[in-house]
């Protein structure tokens, strides 16, 4: 019923051909298989290096950052990006992850929404936070959903 592929970019690593074309083909095949066999597929993808603020310093994730192919964003029904400033000197900021919904094909209402997750070192778990004391790079706080 649920399948996790961690990560899709590993399927084309070392491939002799064009990585982008191979990812296009794989995404098309996976989308067809999901529809035919009626299961949910969760894909993990590497990110390309963005212009501007690096992802490891909390740079905002966009659909175009998924490595290798736009097909990942085109074929996916729901896309989530995780953002965190791993380099922040403040421990709370370093342990706060923004979960940003980049695509919601079903209703479109969730696209752009965010929620915040706090990392608890004592348990190793991420738990929802009521709000985020840190602003995103546009200077304003994003929406919080639960």
């Amino acid at each position: 019923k649920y399948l996790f592929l961690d990560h899709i970019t590993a399927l084309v690593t070392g491939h002799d051909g064009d990585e982008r074309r191979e990812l296009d083909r794989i995404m098309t095949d996976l989308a067809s298989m999901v529809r035919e066999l009626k299961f949910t597929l969760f894909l993990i993808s590497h990110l390309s290096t963005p212009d501007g603020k690096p992802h490891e310093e909390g740079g905002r994730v966009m659909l175009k950052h998924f490595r290798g192919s736009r097909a990942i964003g085109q074929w996916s029904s729901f896309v989530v990006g995780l953002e965190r400033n791993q380099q922040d000197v403040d421990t709370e900021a370093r342990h706060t992850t923004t979960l940003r919904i980049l695509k919601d094909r079903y209703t479109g209402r969730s696209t752009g929404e965010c929620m915040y997750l706090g990392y608890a070192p004592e348990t190793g778990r991420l738990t929802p936070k009521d709000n985020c004391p840190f602003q995103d790079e546009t200077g304003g706080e994003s929406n919080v959903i639960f």
Side-chain angles (χ1 to χ4, degrees):
K1 190 172 182 175
Y2 301 102
L3 181 70
F4 290 81
L5 178 55
D6 184 5
H7 42 83
I8 188 158
T9 45
L11 294 177
V12 295
T13 301
H15 189 269
D16 293 336
D18 181 344
E19 181 178 297
R20 186 195 56 78
R21 287 183 194 266
E22 189 62 15
L23 272 173
D24 286 347
R25 184 192 63 74
I26 290 168
M27 285 302 300
T28 302
D29 291 349
L30 287 172
S32 296
M33 184 174 28
V34 165
R35 284 190 191 99
E36 179 184 336
L37 301 175
K38 297 180 180 15
F39 68 96
T40 300
L41 177 62
F42 294 91
L43 297 175
I44 311 298
S45 174
H46 281 121
L47 297 174
S48 298
T49 303
D51 295 328
K53 188 185 237 183
H55 292 116
E56 61 272 8
E57 293 179 11
R60 181 178 243 164
V61 177
M62 301 171 153
L63 274 176
K64 68 181 183 178
H65 294 158
F66 289 90
R67 190 169 132 194
S69 173
R70 297 273 182 158
I72 293 171
Q74 291 166 345
W75 283 105
S76 300
S77 295
F78 204 82
V79 181
V80 174
L82 299 175
E83 305 163 1
R84 180 170 64 93
N85 185 350
Q86 302 170 349
Q87 312 301 316
D88 203 297
V89 295
D90 181 70
T91 303
E92 184 179 358
R94 208 170 44 246
H95 287 176
T96 300
T97 297
T98 301
L99 186 147
R100 185 178 308 278
I101 300 172
L102 302 171
K103 181 177 182 180
D104 172 5
R105 177 171 285 162
Y106 299 114
T107 67
R109 290 185 297 224
S110 296
T111 302
E113 295 286 341
C114 294
M115 69 179 291
Y116 303 98
L117 305 170
Y119 174 69
E122 58 281 352
T123 64
R125 293 179 179 248
L126 291 172
T127 56
K129 294 179 84 164
D130 290 334
N131 58 28
C132 183
F134 315 104
Q135 293 185 334
D136 67 20
E137 69 232 22
T138 62
E141 283 196 22
S142 299
N143 297 322
V144 179
I145 59 170
F146 293 99

